Amino acid sequence: MIFVFRNSTLENLFPKEKYVLGEYESPLANESYENYLWMNFIPPLPSKKALLLEISKLKRNLDTSIVTAKEKKISILGLFLPEIYLSLNEKDEVEKEIYNFNQYVIQLSKDNFNVSFINPDTFKKILGKNYFSSKYFFSIGAIISPGVINNFSLWLNYFERNSFSTRKKLLIVDLDNTLWGGILGEDGPEGIKTDGSSYPGNVFSYLQHKLKDLSSNGVLLAISSKNNYLDVEEAFKKNKFLNISLNDFTVVKTNWKEKSENIKEIIAELNLNEDACVFLDDNPLERDLVKNSLPNISVPDFPEKIYEIPSFLEKTFHYFFSSETILDEDLLKKTQYEIRNKAEKAKIEFSSKEEFLKSLELKGKIHSSIKLIIPRLSQMTQKTNQFNFTTKRFSEEDISKLISSGEIIYPLQVKDIYGDHGITGLIIVSRKNEKEAELINFLMSCRILGRDIEQSFLEWCIFDLKKMGFEKLSGKFIPTKKNKLAGDFLKNLKIFGKNLKNSETNENTTIFEFNMENLSNKKIDKKFIKISKMS
């Protein structure tokens, strides 16, 4: 449930099964909730002095609300002046205080992992210019007019997706009449429309800039198009108006196969799940073929009218790719997949997988400054599905509590001769007592799978637990539709040459136990990766 701090009538705007509305102007909640939403508005007041006093009161209200949230997630809508104040004289000072208030919240969001700022400009834009009605405010105390309930529902959908859902990782685009105007095979490399100085080229120029922006914020780009590759390569080289290069795309599939087949190959190369991907194509037939072949991929309806593309992109990209926070790990994603692809291409040069893995010179570092990487650890638990023992999701607050309670966290950063893959492994262990530990979760990022790192990582952690005095490690594997890879790993797992003790429980959950009491103190056979703790 989400608790809403509010100072206006909002009863009809929020679904009661998910939201609890606080008393008017009360910054307190009688119970503890999972999440909090602060939605206080500047009401119509007759003087500048009254407005300034109201802003000051709302700031005190906010500070109390943040304390009430007790480090639970709290999302705060910035302040703004309703349309009724457009003709207000001497409003500069009021606007300055609103600006200061919003900057205060933005700084809070930077300093506190549980605080996030909701941009009031985006809020107003989605609601539309008729969001305020004097009739409804002065009759029932509603600053948000019931007449914009559909737009409010749209905004609420965006808010929930941004706050509680995982953004997509990959955008796959068609070329002809999607990335550029026209058909390359007919118009030639310099005849396709992408000149930003005139219509319709300016629309496709806009789209290309939006793709570049997505890429710079950690979204992977790929191409699936029915075209000759050499023609596409020539277009990117010769068309001086293109605002994006072929190198901006992590994978390029331009041939005459069905696009769904190309997309399957793209997903396989990047080791992603279908539901992490979005596909853009102007052709409704191609969209339907992809939907039927790959039902878990998101395939939005591309506009028929070219001039509607920019507004379509704004809504679509916000819906699928927006995120409250962009981590350094996100910004490096494209580079990290390129590192992985270089290794995969080099793989064919070796006669065996063992030789290939040895050539990578893999090195792993266990982070010791856990508090500095809390956002990344939380993100991994939210996003990782294929190799994840329990798929239990942890918020940043949850990770902080684990640290505070003395639980043991092993984040693994992996490097090879091609570059740094970042923090891609995580094991969380709970102290049951002085001699027994419980594996709460074990997960590995999809981009590092296939390197035989999983067992070495687990053995390193078990050996470390042994040195800490633990004699037994227990845990469980909970199967889902997506984590079969982790289940297969567990079935074939031998730790230091010993079998795990397993037993099946309800719903196929596997309980396992490993006795460390007689574990030899000899050094670990690190196989293909050398793991050490960061100093």
Side-chain angles (χ1 to χ4, degrees):
M1 297 293 287
I2 303 170
F3 183 87
V4 182
F5 300 109
R6 49 80 179 255
N7 67 344
S8 172
T9 300
L10 301 172
E11 278 81 356
N12 294 328
L13 301 177
F14 288 99
K16 294 180 176 58
E17 65 272 13
K18 286 194 285 187
Y19 291 88
V20 176
L21 301 184
E23 298 297 325
Y24 292 108
E25 299 188 356
S26 172
L28 303 173
N30 294 327
E31 300 178 38
S32 178
Y33 294 91
E34 296 173 3
N35 296 279
Y36 294 84
L37 173 60
W38 192 90
M39 295 195 77
N40 282 236
F41 305 93
I42 298 175
L45 294 170
S47 69
K48 180 178 75 174
K49 181 179 179 181
L51 288 169
L52 293 174
L53 286 173
E54 181 69 16
I55 295 170
S56 178
K57 184 188 80 172
L58 289 177
K59 184 176 180 298
R60 292 194 299 273
N61 174 304
L62 173 64
D63 289 339
T64 306
S65 300
I66 291 173
V67 173
T68 300
K70 297 177 182 177
E71 295 191 341
K72 293 287 183 70
K73 182 177 178 60
I74 178 168
S75 303
I76 302 163
L77 176 66
L79 294 183
F80 58 91
L81 276 175
E83 299 298 318
I84 197 170
Y85 294 118
L86 286 178
S87 59
L88 180 70
N89 293 327
E90 299 179 351
K91 67 175 183 177
D92 288 354
E93 190 175 347
V94 175
E95 290 181 335
K96 181 181 177 182
E97 285 306 304
I98 290 174
Y99 173 81
N100 289 339
F101 178 96
N102 291 337
Q103 288 300 307
Y104 172 70
V105 179
I106 290 170
Q107 190 59 49
L108 281 175
S109 69
K110 293 178 179 177
D111 296 339
N112 300 272
F113 66 83
N114 64 312
V115 177
S116 61
F117 173 70
I118 300 173
N119 192 325
D121 293 332
T122 302
F123 178 76
K124 289 193 297 178
K125 182 178 178 181
I126 294 176
L127 261 60
K129 62 181 181 180
N130 296 320
Y131 69 86
F132 177 79
S133 165
S134 291
K135 170 187 174 181
Y136 288 109
F137 175 76
F138 288 104
S139 61
I140 63 172
I143 287 181
I144 304 301
S145 167
V148 298
I149 189 168
N150 290 335
N151 287 355
F152 187 88
S153 296
L154 179 63
W155 172 82
L156 195 61
N157 185 292
Y158 285 157
F159 162 71
E160 291 175 353
R161 185 170 187 85
N162 288 351
S163 300
F164 311 118
S165 299
T166 302
R167 73 172 184 161
K168 304 293 185 179
K169 296 179 181 180
L170 171 67
L171 176 64
I172 305 171
V173 297
D174 175 44
L175 294 178
D176 294 334
N177 289 315
T178 303
L179 185 70
W180 53 57
I183 299 173
L184 179 60
E186 297 175 4
D187 300 319
E190 296 175 285
I192 52 176
K193 298 174 180 65
T194 186
D195 184 350
S197 64
S198 61
Y199 182 83
N202 54 359
V203 173
F204 295 102
S205 175
Y206 182 93
L207 182 146
Q208 292 157 24
H209 279 295
K210 293 298 291 184
L211 294 189
K212 289 278 285 189
D213 186 56
L214 278 184
S215 179
S216 67
N217 283 289
V219 176
L220 299 173
L221 303 179
I223 291 172
S224 175
S225 172
K226 289 181 178 178
N227 265 300
N228 293 320
Y229 179 80
L230 292 179
D231 292 342
V232 171
E233 193 175 44
E234 184 182 21
F236 276 95
K237 287 179 180 177
K238 286 188 174 181
N239 192 298
K240 62 182 180 180
F241 297 113
L242 276 167
N243 295 297
I244 195 167
S245 76
L246 208 52
N247 290 332
D248 289 312
F249 297 90
T250 304
V251 184
V252 176
K253 298 288 183 181
T254 56
N255 49 48
W256 298 100
K257 295 195 298 188
E258 289 297 333
K259 290 180 183 177
S260 58
E261 293 303 310
N262 280 331
I263 292 172
K264 287 177 183 177
E265 291 179 12
I266 291 169
I267 293 171
E269 285 184 31
L270 297 176
N271 207 11
L272 296 175
N273 287 321
E274 283 182 28
D275 59 6
C277 311
V278 179
F279 176 57
L280 291 189
D281 195 313
D282 70 294
N283 189 322
L285 175 60
E286 295 285 6
R287 294 198 300 267
D288 285 343
L289 288 171
V290 170
K291 287 178 187 177
N292 292 331
S293 180
L294 300 160
N296 295 316
I297 281 187
S298 297
V299 187
D301 291 332
F302 202 79
E304 292 182 10
K305 297 173 182 175
I306 292 173
Y307 58 80
E308 292 179 347
I309 290 175
S311 59
F312 159 79
L313 294 175
E314 292 297 329
K315 292 177 182 178
T316 301
F317 288 3
H318 183 84
Y319 185 78
F320 289 117
F321 300 112
S322 58
S323 177
E324 289 182 358
T325 54
I326 305 294
L327 306 180
D328 290 344
E329 199 78 22
D330 297 316
L331 300 178
L332 293 171
K333 189 165 284 157
K334 181 174 182 289
T335 301
Q336 289 165 343
Y337 273 101
E338 287 172 351
I339 291 169
R340 183 180 183 277
N341 286 345
K342 286 179 183 177
E344 288 300 309
K345 288 177 181 177
K347 191 174 181 179
I348 60 174
E349 299 176 8
F350 296 89
S351 58
S352 68
K353 181 180 178 181
E354 185 174 84
E355 286 183 13
F356 165 65
L357 293 178
K358 285 180 179 178
S359 77
L360 292 177
E361 298 178 17
L362 288 158
K363 294 179 181 178
K365 291 286 186 182
I366 306 293
H367 276 256
S368 52
S369 301
I370 309 294
K371 289 184 178 181
L372 299 178
I373 55 172
I374 287 175
R376 171 57 181 164
L377 302 185
S378 171
Q379 183 188 64
M380 286 185 70
T381 70
Q382 301 289 339
K383 288 185 171 185
T384 307
N385 293 302
Q386 294 181 63
F387 194 98
N388 190 325
F389 269 33
T390 65
T391 61
K392 183 177 181 181
R393 312 306 186 185
F394 291 88
S395 66
E396 293 181 24
E397 180 193 3
D398 294 330
I399 300 291
S400 293
K401 285 183 177 179
L402 290 172
I403 296 169
S404 300
S405 60
E407 308 295 26
I408 305 161
I409 300 177
Y410 296 108
L412 178 69
Q413 182 170 349
V414 176
K415 296 181 180 180
D416 62 26
I417 59 171
Y418 296 101
D420 189 344
H421 295 273
I423 300 171
T424 48
L426 178 63
I427 287 177
I428 302 174
V429 176
S430 176
R431 303 171 188 264
K432 293 179 73 174
N433 54 53
E434 290 184 357
K435 298 295 182 183
E436 296 183 20
E438 181 180 3
L439 190 111
I440 301 299
N441 207 0
F442 176 23
L443 56 90
M444 300 285 294
S445 172
C446 59
R447 67 173 178 266
I448 205 65
L449 296 177
R451 302 286 189 269
D452 286 8
I453 293 172
E454 301 89 333
Q455 177 149 335
S456 296
F457 179 32
L458 181 58
E459 288 191 352
W460 190 96
C461 294
I462 288 176
F463 199 77
D464 192 62
L465 292 168
K466 161 77 174 175
K467 289 190 289 186
M468 294 167 65
F470 291 103
E471 296 177 355
K472 186 181 293 184
L473 177 69
S474 61
K476 61 185 175 182
F477 169 76
I478 303 174
T480 69
K481 291 180 180 179
K482 297 181 180 179
N483 69 350
K484 182 178 182 298
L485 194 63
D488 291 342
F489 168 81
L490 184 60
K491 286 177 185 175
N492 301 316
L493 180 61
K494 286 188 177 182
I495 299 294
F496 299 103
K498 298 181 179 180
N499 290 314
L500 293 176
K501 183 181 177 183
N502 293 261
S503 62
E504 297 289 329
T505 60
N506 293 335
E507 298 179 353
N508 297 320
T509 298
T510 301
I511 305 297
F512 58 85
E513 184 180 287
F514 183 74
N515 192 334
M516 298 183 283
E517 189 174 3
N518 300 317
L519 186 63
S520 170
N521 286 322
K522 69 178 182 179
K523 290 186 178 180
I524 309 168
D525 178 7
K526 295 179 180 177
K527 206 172 183 181
F528 302 116
I529 184 169
K530 295 180 180 178
I531 300 177
S532 60
K533 198 161 191 174
M534 281 188 175
S535 54

